Amino acid sequence: MNNKIPVQFRKSAATRHAFERLKHCKGCGTYSVLWEDRCLNCGAEGKFQSLQELVRGVRRRGTWRDSMVIFSICLAAFFLADNGLQMAISIAGGVLLVVGYMLLNRHYAESLEKKLLHQLLMNENRSIREGLLLDIEDAANDLKTDEYKLAYEKLREIGWLIKGNQVKVLKLMCLNHFILRRDMELELSELIPDDFDKEFIRYLNEVCKVSPHLVQRDTLSYVWKYRVLIEALPEGRETLALAAGAALRVKAYVLQYQELVEAFIDELPRDRVLRLSRLIQDSPNEAPELYHKTKETIKRKYDSDPEFQVQG
């Protein structure tokens, strides 16, 4: 793809929990994770509130409702009282009960709101999903008009809550239109598709070049599983070699995927072969075939290299 474009992604707000990204439209009750202030469902602007604000409002309304119920009971006791003393006790008791209840409610507000939030997420699961599907549709419309950067930024937000293959595929369609750089906040594990996907392999090829630290065990497992299909692609062998080189960051990866590393050792650059030699020189019994293949490669290609002589 020769028409790749340079991009600078908008900052994504950091949250402790993914659900904290959700917001709720006070006009129609639709949920969204996008930063735009206009509701995709009812078109209202400025009506969104965070889940924390929504839950806090529910708790406060519940507190006032319960307080009124308590006071109403005490007021009924006031009208049923036989004398002035009983009336005074009814009113005083009602005030004390209401004040005490409100103080206790305030004291346990955090726990109550956590419980309400859990109930909300359980009860509103379907509404939340419907709102996120609206967000996906909005991002897909951006894709249709070649607004790849905007579409990806929206899909990135949606992807915090929806992990399905549809979102992954749409993200990859966007990402393969960008010029990737080392300073970009890229993702990889989150994009691993359910089945073999050429778009993912194309993206993986670029990520291995600019951010090899993103290649972890799940990516290597995917590469090894589909290695035959990957190798059949135009840049397949290069991608496999890049993945093998990225595996050299962690010794455990090298041992687990030693067949992949061994198969592409001749295509590894000098610094990667040197790294491999250092990783396995003290543990030849853990990967005997890879150990001997590494020694043979060093002897054949780097026999006169002083750094390899030290390693040998």
Side-chain angles (χ1 to χ4, degrees):
M1 190 178 293
N2 298 320
N3 57 339
K4 292 190 175 185
I5 57 175
V7 293
Q8 185 72 42
F9 298 140
R10 66 182 293 128
K11 292 293 182 180
S12 179
T15 58
R16 185 177 180 183
H17 303 288
F19 64 76
E20 293 175 3
R21 297 174 174 273
L22 283 166
K23 57 184 182 179
H24 174 262
C25 177
K26 292 184 286 186
C28 65
T30 298
Y31 292 88
S32 175
V33 290
L34 304 183
W35 57 87
E36 295 174 342
D37 202 33
R38 181 177 177 275
C39 178
L40 293 172
N41 185 53
C42 68
E45 295 187 5
K47 293 286 188 179
F48 280 115
Q49 59 181 342
S50 68
L51 288 195
Q52 189 63 40
E53 291 171 329
L54 175 60
V55 168
R56 188 175 294 121
V58 171
R59 180 185 65 80
R60 286 174 177 170
R61 287 193 296 272
T63 301
W64 280 108
R65 182 195 62 230
D66 295 343
S67 298
M68 291 301 100
V69 170
I70 294 171
F71 193 74
S72 296
I73 294 172
C74 295
L75 196 60
F78 171 82
F79 287 112
L80 294 174
D82 294 328
N83 52 57
L85 178 60
Q86 290 180 356
M87 290 180 179
I89 292 173
S90 300
I91 293 299
V95 171
L96 287 174
L97 284 172
V98 169
V99 171
Y101 174 75
M102 295 186 73
L103 289 174
L104 280 173
N105 191 280
R106 180 179 295 179
H107 180 74
Y108 292 104
E110 185 176 350
S111 298
L112 289 169
E113 287 177 9
K114 284 183 179 179
K115 182 179 179 181
L116 287 170
L117 178 60
H118 177 73
Q119 293 174 344
L120 174 71
L121 293 172
M122 294 294 291
N123 296 334
E124 294 288 281
N125 185 273
R126 182 174 179 179
S127 297
I128 291 171
R129 184 165 185 83
E130 289 174 351
L132 293 174
L133 290 176
L134 276 178
D135 289 346
I136 293 175
E137 185 180 337
D138 187 53
N141 289 333
D142 291 328
L143 261 177
K144 292 176 184 177
T145 58
D146 296 338
E147 293 287 345
Y148 299 110
K149 175 180 176 294
L150 183 58
Y152 173 71
E153 289 170 342
K154 291 178 180 179
L155 290 165
R156 182 180 58 180
E157 296 301 314
I158 297 165
W160 284 102
L161 286 103
I162 293 185
K163 309 292 184 181
N165 209 55
Q166 179 190 12
V167 174
K168 294 177 184 178
V169 170
L170 292 175
K171 279 185 183 180
L172 288 166
M173 289 176 62
C174 297
L175 286 164
N176 283 328
H177 282 85
F178 306 147
I179 298 173
L180 305 186
R181 305 185 308 276
R182 296 179 187 274
D183 64 324
M184 297 173 73
E185 293 184 10
L186 300 173
E187 51 185 338
L188 184 60
S189 293
E190 300 84 354
L191 298 174
I192 297 175
D194 297 338
D195 300 301
F196 177 71
D197 188 279
K198 294 180 182 179
E199 292 292 320
F200 177 73
I201 301 305
R202 186 177 296 118
Y203 176 68
L204 174 62
N205 182 283
E206 296 296 321
V207 170
C208 285
K209 295 174 183 176
V210 300
S211 299
H213 64 279
L214 294 178
V215 178
Q216 299 179 11
R217 184 174 276 108
D218 49 6
T219 304
L220 292 169
S221 294
Y222 180 91
V223 168
W224 183 246
K225 179 179 179 180
Y226 294 108
R227 61 191 181 280
V228 175
L229 294 174
I230 295 173
E231 190 168 2
L233 297 175
E235 297 181 348
R237 285 196 63 84
E238 180 190 31
T239 304
L240 289 169
L242 287 168
L248 301 181
R249 291 178 45 257
V250 181
K251 184 176 181 180
Y253 294 172
V254 175
L255 297 177
Q256 184 174 354
Y257 303 99
Q258 54 187 277
E259 293 177 81
L260 174 65
V261 177
E262 182 183 347
F264 291 91
I265 191 171
D266 284 332
E267 295 172 59
L268 295 177
R270 175 188 175 280
D271 67 303
R272 295 289 83 194
V273 178
L274 182 60
R275 166 72 175 168
L276 174 60
S277 176
R278 290 170 175 169
L279 282 175
I280 66 172
Q281 64 177 335
D282 296 327
S283 52
N285 295 329
E286 294 183 82
E289 293 184 13
L290 178 59
Y291 179 81
H292 291 301
K293 182 65 179 290
T294 303
K295 291 300 180 184
E296 185 273 327
T297 302
I298 292 173
K299 183 174 179 61
R300 176 165 44 86
K301 298 177 69 175
Y302 306 105
D303 191 44
S304 60
D305 193 309
E307 282 196 85
F308 284 96
Q309 293 297 325
V310 172
Q311 294 299 313

